[in-house]
């Protein structure tokens, strides 16, 4: 495997300087391309800054959300799907805008068969073994076509200005549903530990059913059988928003608790 060098440079006090993506430059396909920061989304910066058409020039697999936090984004095989508040999926128009996303051009580096994975924690434990083997400081996208005994997903409703925070929006509008005996694909991203100031570290999963009718952000799952395909990526580019109040956000504050709630909380447990 010919992995590119990481495009991340250390700066003072452990902060990170990023190579910001320029739409006029050729796209490096062995790269995770990120739109904005999870931290800006957490603070309620829900204004879309890139169109779906533009996002598809940066990758063919990915996760994210839409303008106004209007549902969960799942990109698979170059198609962008939206899982709405009712966990129903549709293909989005190219003009729809996106405030936060991570995408790449998927290039399978290795694959592992899956069988009888009891829950999301068990899946992450298994995936982490291969992350440690191949390099925990790289990024990994995974594609997991599988048959699920059950999968619990969530999504949320679009918000109006003035926007609430991400946690407030989820607590007010998050809907969940468990799908049983269903086939589909989980799209997942692993971010290494040093990404804690910019994204959620570890694993983040979204799901779309095989019939492309349902999906969302994965809260839990039970896999009967399937396969996980890994794409290890050593490059990272970020595209910062150029409009809205992005430059006024206090991104230096510790948002780890809010991000954990947004990633993991079920309304059943609130």
């Amino acid at each position: 495997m010919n992995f590119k060098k990481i495009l991340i440079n250390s700066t003072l006090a452990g902060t990170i300087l990023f190579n910001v993506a320029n739409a006029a430059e050729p796209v490096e396909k062995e790269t995770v391309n990120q739109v904005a920061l999870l931290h800006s989304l957490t603070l309620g910066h829900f204004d879309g800054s890139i169109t779906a058409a533009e996002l598809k020039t940066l990758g063919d697999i990915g996760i994210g959300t839409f303008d106004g936090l209007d549902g969960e984004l799942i990109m698979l095989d170059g198609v962008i799907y939206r899982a709405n508040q009712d966990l129903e999926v549709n293909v989005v128009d190219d003009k729809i805008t996106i405030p936060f996303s991570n995408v790449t051009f998927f290039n399978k580096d290795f694959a592992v068969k899956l069988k009888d994975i009891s829950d999301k924690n068990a899946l992450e434990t298994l995936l982490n073994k291969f992350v440690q083997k191949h390099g925990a400081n790289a990024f990994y996208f995974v594609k997991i076509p599988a048959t699920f005994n059950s999968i619990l997903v969530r999504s949320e409703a679009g918000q109006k200005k003035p926007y609430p925070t991400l946690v407030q929006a989820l607590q007010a509008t998050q809907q969940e549903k468990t799908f049983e005996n269903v086939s589909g694909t989980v799209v997942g991203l692993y971010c290494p530990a040093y990404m804690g100031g910019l994204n959620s570290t570890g694993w983040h999963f979204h799901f779309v059913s095989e019939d492309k009718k349902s999906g969302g952000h994965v809260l839990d799952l039970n896999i009967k059988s399937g396969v996980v395909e890994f794409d290890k990526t050593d490059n990272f580019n970020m595209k910062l928003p150029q409009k809205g109040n992005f430059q006024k956000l206090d991104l230096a504050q510790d948002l780890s608790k809010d991000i954990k709630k947004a990633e993991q909380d079920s309304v059943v447990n609130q």
Side-chain angles (χ1 to χ4, degrees):
M1 292 176 288
N2 182 19
F3 301 124
K4 304 296 189 296
K5 294 181 180 179
I6 296 177
L7 294 178
I8 300 176
N9 300 310
S10 297
T11 60
L12 296 177
T15 59
I16 298 173
L17 176 65
F18 288 86
N19 178 22
V20 179
N22 185 330
E25 297 176 355
V27 175
E28 168 55 65
K29 293 195 173 184
E30 281 289 344
T31 298
V32 171
N33 289 293
Q34 179 166 307
V35 177
L37 293 77
L38 183 56
H39 294 59
S40 58
L41 191 75
T42 301
L43 291 172
H45 191 272
F46 301 156
D47 289 328
S49 62
I50 185 173
T51 66
E54 291 169 330
L55 189 67
K56 287 189 283 189
T57 69
L58 301 176
D60 58 17
I61 189 171
I63 55 179
T65 188
F66 298 95
D67 186 83
L69 197 72
D70 190 13
E72 300 286 339
L73 182 156
I74 312 103
M75 182 191 282
L76 180 63
D77 299 328
V79 180
I80 299 178
Y81 302 95
R82 183 213 313 269
N84 66 19
Q85 186 189 29
D86 296 322
L87 295 316
E88 298 170 344
V89 164
N90 67 282
V91 177
V92 304
D93 188 276
D94 279 349
K95 295 179 181 179
I96 294 293
T97 59
I98 293 151
F100 176 76
S101 184
N102 288 96
V103 301
T104 194
F105 288 97
F106 194 83
N107 177 31
K108 184 177 72 173
D109 291 315
F110 57 95
V112 179
K113 290 184 179 180
L114 299 175
K115 188 174 178 61
D116 298 332
I117 305 298
S118 60
D119 56 25
K120 187 160 76 77
N121 287 336
L123 175 63
E124 292 185 4
T125 297
L126 176 64
L127 298 182
N128 285 338
K129 291 180 181 179
F130 293 94
V131 167
Q132 293 297 322
K133 177 180 178 180
H134 292 273
N137 289 327
F139 297 82
Y140 294 83
F141 258 101
V142 293
K143 184 188 300 185
I144 309 177
T147 300
F148 300 84
N149 292 315
S150 63
I151 184 164
L152 172 63
V153 295
R154 73 108 196 272
S155 191
E156 58 285 328
Q159 304 296 302
K160 303 292 185 181
K161 292 183 178 180
Y163 292 134
T165 67
L166 177 59
V167 169
Q168 289 169 344
L170 292 175
Q171 288 177 339
T173 70
Q174 177 170 316
Q175 298 291 329
E176 302 171 12
K177 187 173 182 178
T178 298
F179 295 94
E180 298 182 344
N181 301 315
V182 63
S183 295
T185 301
V186 167
V187 173
L189 170 65
Y190 169 87
C191 287
Y194 56 77
M195 286 288 291
L198 301 169
N199 206 323
S200 174
T201 60
W203 290 100
H204 185 134
F205 302 110
H206 287 190
F207 169 75
V208 62
S209 62
E210 187 174 54
D211 61 11
K212 306 300 187 293
K213 291 183 178 180
S214 54
H217 170 100
V218 177
L219 294 172
D220 207 353
L221 51 72
N222 182 299
I223 297 175
K224 181 178 181 180
S225 63
V227 63
V228 52
E229 300 176 358
F230 289 79
D231 180 6
K232 179 184 178 185
T233 305
D234 290 333
N235 289 352
F236 179 89
N237 281 340
M238 175 180 286
K239 182 176 176 63
L240 297 179
Q242 301 297 314
K243 60 181 182 179
N245 67 337
F246 178 80
Q247 295 299 335
K248 297 180 180 179
L249 297 175
D250 178 11
L251 296 171
Q253 58 186 295
D254 183 1
L255 297 171
S256 57
K257 290 183 180 179
D258 283 348
I259 289 173
K260 184 176 181 180
K261 284 181 66 67
E263 287 291 309
Q264 301 181 10
D265 272 10
S266 164
V267 291
V268 174
N269 297 324
Q270 293 177 3

